[in-house]
Amino acid sequence: MHRFKVEKMGCGGCAKSVTRAVLGIQPNARVEVEFGAKLVTVSDAAGPAGRIAQAIAAAGFPAEPLLAAA
């Protein structure tokens, strides 16, 4: 599971764009968006968080990977 802070995300259209970006590189991932917290959680994704963050940023939404709790 990867979590990202996405400050520029604020509407349903933004969430759809972010979700499309993630699914474009990780078709089997599950994407959950929390508008209030400006968080995106990607589950069932293979590969490094940095690659997902780059895809989200390429869609126009800079994403900061958050460290997983130990």
PDB file of all heavy atoms in Angstrom, residues 17-51:
ATOM      1  N   SER A  17      -8.961  12.253 -12.374  1.00  0.00           N
ATOM      2  CA  SER A  17      -7.689  12.390 -13.086  1.00  0.00           C
ATOM      3  C   SER A  17      -6.576  11.633 -12.377  1.00  0.00           C
ATOM      4  O   SER A  17      -5.771  10.948 -13.016  1.00  0.00           O
ATOM      5  CB  SER A  17      -7.305  13.866 -13.214  1.00  0.00           C
ATOM      6  OG  SER A  17      -8.220  14.539 -14.044  1.00  0.00           O
ATOM      7  N   VAL A  18      -6.532  11.752 -11.053  1.00  0.00           N
ATOM      8  CA  VAL A  18      -5.517  11.055 -10.266  1.00  0.00           C
ATOM      9  C   VAL A  18      -5.723   9.542 -10.383  1.00  0.00           C
ATOM     10  O   VAL A  18      -4.766   8.789 -10.599  1.00  0.00           O
ATOM     11  CB  VAL A  18      -5.559  11.514  -8.793  1.00  0.00           C
ATOM     12  CG1 VAL A  18      -4.730  10.604  -7.904  1.00  0.00           C
ATOM     13  CG2 VAL A  18      -5.067  12.955  -8.678  1.00  0.00           C
ATOM     14  N   THR A  19      -6.954   9.096 -10.282  1.00  0.00           N
ATOM     15  CA  THR A  19      -7.261   7.674 -10.382  1.00  0.00           C
ATOM     16  C   THR A  19      -6.871   7.133 -11.754  1.00  0.00           C
ATOM     17  O   THR A  19      -6.244   6.077 -11.855  1.00  0.00           O
ATOM     18  CB  THR A  19      -8.758   7.419 -10.109  1.00  0.00           C
ATOM     19  OG1 THR A  19      -9.057   7.862  -8.776  1.00  0.00           O
ATOM     20  CG2 THR A  19      -9.111   5.947 -10.246  1.00  0.00           C
ATOM     21  N   ARG A  20      -7.207   7.869 -12.819  1.00  0.00           N
ATOM     22  CA  ARG A  20      -6.837   7.444 -14.173  1.00  0.00           C
ATOM     23  C   ARG A  20      -5.320   7.341 -14.325  1.00  0.00           C
ATOM     24  O   ARG A  20      -4.807   6.429 -14.967  1.00  0.00           O
ATOM     25  CB  ARG A  20      -7.388   8.425 -15.210  1.00  0.00           C
ATOM     26  CG  ARG A  20      -8.718   8.028 -15.791  1.00  0.00           C
ATOM     27  CD  ARG A  20      -9.063   8.807 -17.047  1.00  0.00           C
ATOM     28  NE  ARG A  20      -8.924  10.252 -16.903  1.00  0.00           N
ATOM     29  CZ  ARG A  20      -9.873  11.075 -16.490  1.00  0.00           C
ATOM     30  NH1 ARG A  20     -11.056  10.602 -16.180  1.00  0.00           N
ATOM     31  NH2 ARG A  20      -9.655  12.368 -16.393  1.00  0.00           N
ATOM     32  N   ALA A  21      -4.601   8.307 -13.747  1.00  0.00           N
ATOM     33  CA  ALA A  21      -3.143   8.303 -13.840  1.00  0.00           C
ATOM     34  C   ALA A  21      -2.560   7.053 -13.182  1.00  0.00           C
ATOM     35  O   ALA A  21      -1.665   6.407 -13.737  1.00  0.00           O
ATOM     36  CB  ALA A  21      -2.571   9.566 -13.199  1.00  0.00           C
ATOM     37  N   VAL A  22      -3.072   6.719 -12.009  1.00  0.00           N
ATOM     38  CA  VAL A  22      -2.576   5.528 -11.304  1.00  0.00           C
ATOM     39  C   VAL A  22      -2.936   4.262 -12.075  1.00  0.00           C
ATOM     40  O   VAL A  22      -2.084   3.397 -12.302  1.00  0.00           O
ATOM     41  CB  VAL A  22      -3.125   5.462  -9.864  1.00  0.00           C
ATOM     42  CG1 VAL A  22      -2.737   4.143  -9.204  1.00  0.00           C
ATOM     43  CG2 VAL A  22      -2.631   6.641  -9.043  1.00  0.00           C
ATOM     44  N   LEU A  23      -4.174   4.157 -12.503  1.00  0.00           N
ATOM     45  CA  LEU A  23      -4.608   2.950 -13.209  1.00  0.00           C
ATOM     46  C   LEU A  23      -3.928   2.812 -14.566  1.00  0.00           C
ATOM     47  O   LEU A  23      -3.813   1.701 -15.084  1.00  0.00           O
ATOM     48  CB  LEU A  23      -6.131   2.948 -13.360  1.00  0.00           C
ATOM     49  CG  LEU A  23      -6.909   2.841 -12.045  1.00  0.00           C
ATOM     50  CD1 LEU A  23      -8.409   2.889 -12.316  1.00  0.00           C
ATOM     51  CD2 LEU A  23      -6.527   1.600 -11.271  1.00  0.00           C
ATOM     52  N   GLY A  24      -3.434   3.914 -15.116  1.00  0.00           N
ATOM     53  CA  GLY A  24      -2.709   3.857 -16.375  1.00  0.00           C
ATOM     54  C   GLY A  24      -1.407   3.085 -16.260  1.00  0.00           C
ATOM     55  O   GLY A  24      -0.948   2.481 -17.229  1.00  0.00           O
ATOM     56  N   ILE A  25      -0.802   3.094 -15.082  1.00  0.00           N
ATOM     57  CA  ILE A  25       0.455   2.352 -14.883  1.00  0.00           C
ATOM     58  C   ILE A  25       0.272   1.130 -13.989  1.00  0.00           C
ATOM     59  O   ILE A  25       1.125   0.254 -13.982  1.00  0.00           O
ATOM     60  CB  ILE A  25       1.566   3.262 -14.317  1.00  0.00           C
ATOM     61  CG1 ILE A  25       1.190   3.814 -12.949  1.00  0.00           C
ATOM     62  CG2 ILE A  25       1.906   4.378 -15.289  1.00  0.00           C
ATOM     63  CD1 ILE A  25       2.367   4.365 -12.175  1.00  0.00           C
ATOM     64  N   GLN A  26      -0.816   1.099 -13.235  1.00  0.00           N
ATOM     65  CA  GLN A  26      -1.108  -0.021 -12.328  1.00  0.00           C
ATOM     66  C   GLN A  26      -2.583  -0.419 -12.500  1.00  0.00           C
ATOM     67  O   GLN A  26      -3.427  -0.088 -11.658  1.00  0.00           O
ATOM     68  CB  GLN A  26      -0.866   0.395 -10.871  1.00  0.00           C
ATOM     69  CG  GLN A  26       0.548   0.775 -10.552  1.00  0.00           C
ATOM     70  CD  GLN A  26       1.436  -0.445 -10.442  1.00  0.00           C
ATOM     71  OE1 GLN A  26       1.022  -1.518 -10.038  1.00  0.00           O
ATOM     72  NE2 GLN A  26       2.688  -0.274 -10.811  1.00  0.00           N
ATOM     73  N   PRO A  27      -2.927  -1.103 -13.590  1.00  0.00           N
ATOM     74  CA  PRO A  27      -4.330  -1.387 -13.892  1.00  0.00           C
ATOM     75  C   PRO A  27      -5.090  -2.151 -12.809  1.00  0.00           C
ATOM     76  O   PRO A  27      -6.312  -2.041 -12.729  1.00  0.00           O
ATOM     77  CB  PRO A  27      -4.267  -2.212 -15.181  1.00  0.00           C
ATOM     78  CG  PRO A  27      -2.926  -1.967 -15.749  1.00  0.00           C
ATOM     79  CD  PRO A  27      -2.023  -1.616 -14.608  1.00  0.00           C
ATOM     80  N   ASN A  28      -4.392  -2.923 -11.979  1.00  0.00           N
ATOM     81  CA  ASN A  28      -5.072  -3.725 -10.959  1.00  0.00           C
ATOM     82  C   ASN A  28      -5.088  -3.070  -9.586  1.00  0.00           C
ATOM     83  O   ASN A  28      -5.544  -3.679  -8.620  1.00  0.00           O
ATOM     84  CB  ASN A  28      -4.422  -5.106 -10.863  1.00  0.00           C
ATOM     85  CG  ASN A  28      -4.583  -5.884 -12.151  1.00  0.00           C
ATOM     86  OD1 ASN A  28      -5.645  -5.855 -12.770  1.00  0.00           O
ATOM     87  ND2 ASN A  28      -3.531  -6.548 -12.581  1.00  0.00           N
ATOM     88  N   ALA A  29      -4.617  -1.840  -9.505  1.00  0.00           N
ATOM     89  CA  ALA A  29      -4.559  -1.145  -8.212  1.00  0.00           C
ATOM     90  C   ALA A  29      -5.952  -0.683  -7.786  1.00  0.00           C
ATOM     91  O   ALA A  29      -6.853  -0.502  -8.603  1.00  0.00           O
ATOM     92  CB  ALA A  29      -3.632   0.057  -8.309  1.00  0.00           C
ATOM     93  N   ARG A  30      -6.099  -0.488  -6.496  1.00  0.00           N
ATOM     94  CA  ARG A  30      -7.323   0.101  -5.932  1.00  0.00           C
ATOM     95  C   ARG A  30      -6.936   1.480  -5.413  1.00  0.00           C
ATOM     96  O   ARG A  30      -5.988   1.605  -4.632  1.00  0.00           O
ATOM     97  CB  ARG A  30      -7.871  -0.776  -4.809  1.00  0.00           C
ATOM     98  CG  ARG A  30      -9.257  -0.322  -4.357  1.00  0.00           C
ATOM     99  CD  ARG A  30      -9.824  -1.218  -3.291  1.00  0.00           C
ATOM    100  NE  ARG A  30      -9.076  -0.961  -2.064  1.00  0.00           N
ATOM    101  CZ  ARG A  30      -8.712  -1.890  -1.200  1.00  0.00           C
ATOM    102  NH1 ARG A  30      -9.015  -3.139  -1.405  1.00  0.00           N
ATOM    103  NH2 ARG A  30      -8.037  -1.570  -0.120  1.00  0.00           N
ATOM    104  N   VAL A  31      -7.644   2.506  -5.845  1.00  0.00           N
ATOM    105  CA  VAL A  31      -7.311   3.885  -5.495  1.00  0.00           C
ATOM    106  C   VAL A  31      -8.427   4.461  -4.625  1.00  0.00           C
ATOM    107  O   VAL A  31      -9.600   4.413  -4.998  1.00  0.00           O
ATOM    108  CB  VAL A  31      -7.144   4.753  -6.767  1.00  0.00           C
ATOM    109  CG1 VAL A  31      -6.769   6.177  -6.398  1.00  0.00           C
ATOM    110  CG2 VAL A  31      -6.114   4.139  -7.702  1.00  0.00           C
ATOM    111  N   GLU A  32      -8.056   4.985  -3.465  1.00  0.00           N
ATOM    112  CA  GLU A  32      -9.012   5.631  -2.559  1.00  0.00           C
ATOM    113  C   GLU A  32      -8.569   7.075  -2.358  1.00  0.00           C
ATOM    114  O   GLU A  32      -7.393   7.341  -2.133  1.00  0.00           O
ATOM    115  CB  GLU A  32      -9.054   4.917  -1.218  1.00  0.00           C
ATOM    116  CG  GLU A  32      -9.551   3.488  -1.320  1.00  0.00           C
ATOM    117  CD  GLU A  32      -9.498   2.770   0.024  1.00  0.00           C
ATOM    118  OE1 GLU A  32      -9.679   3.428   1.070  1.00  0.00           O
ATOM    119  OE2 GLU A  32      -9.258   1.561   0.012  1.00  0.00           O
ATOM    120  N   VAL A  33      -9.531   8.008  -2.434  1.00  0.00           N
ATOM    121  CA  VAL A  33      -9.240   9.432  -2.311  1.00  0.00           C
ATOM    122  C   VAL A  33      -9.954   9.987  -1.086  1.00  0.00           C
ATOM    123  O   VAL A  33     -11.142   9.726  -0.888  1.00  0.00           O
ATOM    124  CB  VAL A  33      -9.707  10.189  -3.576  1.00  0.00           C
ATOM    125  CG1 VAL A  33      -9.506  11.674  -3.415  1.00  0.00           C
ATOM    126  CG2 VAL A  33      -8.981   9.670  -4.798  1.00  0.00           C
ATOM    127  N   GLU A  34      -9.221  10.736  -0.258  1.00  0.00           N
ATOM    128  CA  GLU A  34      -9.787  11.430   0.904  1.00  0.00           C
ATOM    129  C   GLU A  34      -9.617  12.929   0.651  1.00  0.00           C
ATOM    130  O   GLU A  34      -8.536  13.471   0.823  1.00  0.00           O
ATOM    131  CB  GLU A  34      -9.048  11.031   2.177  1.00  0.00           C
ATOM    132  CG  GLU A  34      -9.151   9.566   2.515  1.00  0.00           C
ATOM    133  CD  GLU A  34      -8.294   9.200   3.712  1.00  0.00           C
ATOM    134  OE1 GLU A  34      -8.360   9.913   4.737  1.00  0.00           O
ATOM    135  OE2 GLU A  34      -7.553   8.213   3.606  1.00  0.00           O
ATOM    136  N   PHE A  35     -10.712  13.593   0.218  1.00  0.00           N
ATOM    137  CA  PHE A  35     -10.628  15.012  -0.133  1.00  0.00           C
ATOM    138  C   PHE A  35     -10.198  15.893   1.034  1.00  0.00           C
ATOM    139  O   PHE A  35      -9.324  16.738   0.884  1.00  0.00           O
ATOM    140  CB  PHE A  35     -11.974  15.536  -0.655  1.00  0.00           C
ATOM    141  CG  PHE A  35     -12.286  15.077  -2.031  1.00  0.00           C
ATOM    142  CD1 PHE A  35     -13.348  14.233  -2.269  1.00  0.00           C
ATOM    143  CD2 PHE A  35     -11.523  15.481  -3.105  1.00  0.00           C
ATOM    144  CE1 PHE A  35     -13.646  13.800  -3.536  1.00  0.00           C
ATOM    145  CE2 PHE A  35     -11.806  15.051  -4.384  1.00  0.00           C
ATOM    146  CZ  PHE A  35     -12.876  14.208  -4.594  1.00  0.00           C
ATOM    147  N   GLY A  36     -10.825  15.716   2.179  1.00  0.00           N
ATOM    148  CA  GLY A  36     -10.532  16.562   3.331  1.00  0.00           C
ATOM    149  C   GLY A  36      -9.073  16.537   3.729  1.00  0.00           C
ATOM    150  O   GLY A  36      -8.468  17.567   4.018  1.00  0.00           O
ATOM    151  N   ALA A  37      -8.489  15.366   3.713  1.00  0.00           N
ATOM    152  CA  ALA A  37      -7.089  15.198   4.103  1.00  0.00           C
ATOM    153  C   ALA A  37      -6.142  15.354   2.918  1.00  0.00           C
ATOM    154  O   ALA A  37      -4.929  15.388   3.099  1.00  0.00           O
ATOM    155  CB  ALA A  37      -6.897  13.824   4.732  1.00  0.00           C
ATOM    156  N   LYS A  38      -6.710  15.425   1.705  1.00  0.00           N
ATOM    157  CA  LYS A  38      -5.922  15.506   0.469  1.00  0.00           C
ATOM    158  C   LYS A  38      -4.957  14.326   0.353  1.00  0.00           C
ATOM    159  O   LYS A  38      -3.786  14.473   0.022  1.00  0.00           O
ATOM    160  CB  LYS A  38      -5.195  16.836   0.369  1.00  0.00           C
ATOM    161  CG  LYS A  38      -6.147  18.019   0.359  1.00  0.00           C
ATOM    162  CD  LYS A  38      -5.561  19.175  -0.369  1.00  0.00           C
ATOM    163  CE  LYS A  38      -6.491  20.371  -0.344  1.00  0.00           C
ATOM    164  NZ  LYS A  38      -7.507  20.315  -1.359  1.00  0.00           N
ATOM    165  N   LEU A  39      -5.494  13.136   0.649  1.00  0.00           N
ATOM    166  CA  LEU A  39      -4.701  11.909   0.616  1.00  0.00           C
ATOM    167  C   LEU A  39      -5.209  10.964  -0.464  1.00  0.00           C
ATOM    168  O   LEU A  39      -6.410  10.888  -0.715  1.00  0.00           O
ATOM    169  CB  LEU A  39      -4.778  11.179   1.953  1.00  0.00           C
ATOM    170  CG  LEU A  39      -4.106  11.841   3.138  1.00  0.00           C
ATOM    171  CD1 LEU A  39      -4.367  11.026   4.397  1.00  0.00           C
ATOM    172  CD2 LEU A  39      -2.613  11.978   2.896  1.00  0.00           C
ATOM    173  N   VAL A  40      -4.271  10.263  -1.066  1.00  0.00           N
ATOM    174  CA  VAL A  40      -4.594   9.205  -2.023  1.00  0.00           C
ATOM    175  C   VAL A  40      -3.915   7.939  -1.518  1.00  0.00           C
ATOM    176  O   VAL A  40      -2.717   7.952  -1.226  1.00  0.00           O
ATOM    177  CB  VAL A  40      -4.087   9.559  -3.441  1.00  0.00           C
ATOM    178  CG1 VAL A  40      -4.300   8.390  -4.391  1.00  0.00           C
ATOM    179  CG2 VAL A  40      -4.777  10.810  -3.960  1.00  0.00           C
ATOM    180  N   THR A  41      -4.680   6.877  -1.400  1.00  0.00           N
ATOM    181  CA  THR A  41      -4.150   5.580  -0.992  1.00  0.00           C
ATOM    182  C   THR A  41      -4.263   4.636  -2.174  1.00  0.00           C
ATOM    183  O   THR A  41      -5.337   4.512  -2.773  1.00  0.00           O
ATOM    184  CB  THR A  41      -4.929   5.020   0.212  1.00  0.00           C
ATOM    185  OG1 THR A  41      -4.861   5.967   1.283  1.00  0.00           O
ATOM    186  CG2 THR A  41      -4.352   3.698   0.674  1.00  0.00           C
ATOM    187  N   VAL A  42      -3.161   3.989  -2.505  1.00  0.00           N
ATOM    188  CA  VAL A  42      -3.133   3.038  -3.615  1.00  0.00           C
ATOM    189  C   VAL A  42      -2.804   1.667  -3.031  1.00  0.00           C
ATOM    190  O   VAL A  42      -1.731   1.467  -2.468  1.00  0.00           O
ATOM    191  CB  VAL A  42      -2.085   3.448  -4.674  1.00  0.00           C
ATOM    192  CG1 VAL A  42      -2.088   2.456  -5.828  1.00  0.00           C
ATOM    193  CG2 VAL A  42      -2.360   4.866  -5.180  1.00  0.00           C
ATOM    194  N   SER A  43      -3.749   0.748  -3.164  1.00  0.00           N
ATOM    195  CA  SER A  43      -3.572  -0.616  -2.666  1.00  0.00           C
ATOM    196  C   SER A  43      -3.416  -1.568  -3.838  1.00  0.00           C
ATOM    197  O   SER A  43      -3.831  -1.261  -4.956  1.00  0.00           O
ATOM    198  CB  SER A  43      -4.790  -1.036  -1.842  1.00  0.00           C
ATOM    199  OG  SER A  43      -5.010  -0.142  -0.791  1.00  0.00           O
ATOM    200  N   ASP A  44      -2.867  -2.723  -3.571  1.00  0.00           N
ATOM    201  CA  ASP A  44      -2.678  -3.771  -4.571  1.00  0.00           C
ATOM    202  C   ASP A  44      -1.839  -3.286  -5.749  1.00  0.00           C
ATOM    203  O   ASP A  44      -2.068  -3.684  -6.883  1.00  0.00           O
ATOM    204  CB  ASP A  44      -4.029  -4.306  -5.078  1.00  0.00           C
ATOM    205  CG  ASP A  44      -4.881  -4.874  -3.960  1.00  0.00           C
ATOM    206  OD1 ASP A  44      -4.297  -5.392  -2.990  1.00  0.00           O
ATOM    207  OD2 ASP A  44      -6.110  -4.788  -4.046  1.00  0.00           O
ATOM    208  N   ALA A  45      -0.877  -2.414  -5.470  1.00  0.00           N
ATOM    209  CA  ALA A  45      -0.011  -1.885  -6.527  1.00  0.00           C
ATOM    210  C   ALA A  45       1.359  -2.533  -6.441  1.00  0.00           C
ATOM    211  O   ALA A  45       1.890  -2.736  -5.361  1.00  0.00           O
ATOM    212  CB  ALA A  45       0.116  -0.376  -6.384  1.00  0.00           C
ATOM    213  N   ALA A  46       1.905  -2.839  -7.591  1.00  0.00           N
ATOM    214  CA  ALA A  46       3.265  -3.370  -7.652  1.00  0.00           C
ATOM    215  C   ALA A  46       4.207  -2.239  -8.023  1.00  0.00           C
ATOM    216  O   ALA A  46       3.831  -1.319  -8.729  1.00  0.00           O
ATOM    217  CB  ALA A  46       3.333  -4.479  -8.698  1.00  0.00           C
ATOM    218  N   GLY A  47       5.408  -2.290  -7.519  1.00  0.00           N
ATOM    219  CA  GLY A  47       6.387  -1.284  -7.894  1.00  0.00           C
ATOM    220  C   GLY A  47       6.553  -0.201  -6.856  1.00  0.00           C
ATOM    221  O   GLY A  47       5.810  -0.133  -5.878  1.00  0.00           O
ATOM    222  N   PRO A  48       7.538   0.659  -7.091  1.00  0.00           N
ATOM    223  CA  PRO A  48       7.874   1.694  -6.114  1.00  0.00           C
ATOM    224  C   PRO A  48       6.870   2.846  -6.082  1.00  0.00           C
ATOM    225  O   PRO A  48       6.238   3.170  -7.087  1.00  0.00           O
ATOM    226  CB  PRO A  48       9.245   2.182  -6.573  1.00  0.00           C
ATOM    227  CG  PRO A  48       9.274   1.898  -8.037  1.00  0.00           C
ATOM    228  CD  PRO A  48       8.445   0.656  -8.233  1.00  0.00           C
ATOM    229  N   ALA A  49       6.755   3.455  -4.906  1.00  0.00           N
ATOM    230  CA  ALA A  49       5.861   4.599  -4.733  1.00  0.00           C
ATOM    231  C   ALA A  49       6.268   5.752  -5.638  1.00  0.00           C
ATOM    232  O   ALA A  49       5.416   6.494  -6.126  1.00  0.00           O
ATOM    233  CB  ALA A  49       5.854   5.040  -3.275  1.00  0.00           C
ATOM    234  N   GLY A  50       7.565   5.902  -5.877  1.00  0.00           N
ATOM    235  CA  GLY A  50       8.041   7.003  -6.705  1.00  0.00           C
ATOM    236  C   GLY A  50       7.471   6.974  -8.111  1.00  0.00           C
ATOM    237  O   GLY A  50       7.151   8.019  -8.681  1.00  0.00           O
ATOM    238  N   ARG A  51       7.301   5.804  -8.654  1.00  0.00           N
ATOM    239  CA  ARG A  51       6.732   5.680 -10.005  1.00  0.00           C
ATOM    240  C   ARG A  51       5.269   6.123 -10.018  1.00  0.00           C
ATOM    241  O   ARG A  51       4.823   6.796 -10.946  1.00  0.00           O
ATOM    242  CB  ARG A  51       6.856   4.234 -10.483  1.00  0.00           C
ATOM    243  CG  ARG A  51       6.348   4.028 -11.884  1.00  0.00           C
ATOM    244  CD  ARG A  51       6.732   2.645 -12.408  1.00  0.00           C
ATOM    245  NE  ARG A  51       6.196   2.481 -13.737  1.00  0.00           N
ATOM    246  CZ  ARG A  51       5.335   1.539 -14.076  1.00  0.00           C
ATOM    247  NH1 ARG A  51       4.934   0.655 -13.198  1.00  0.00           N
ATOM    248  NH2 ARG A  51       4.888   1.466 -15.306  1.00  0.00           N
TER     249      ARG A  51
END
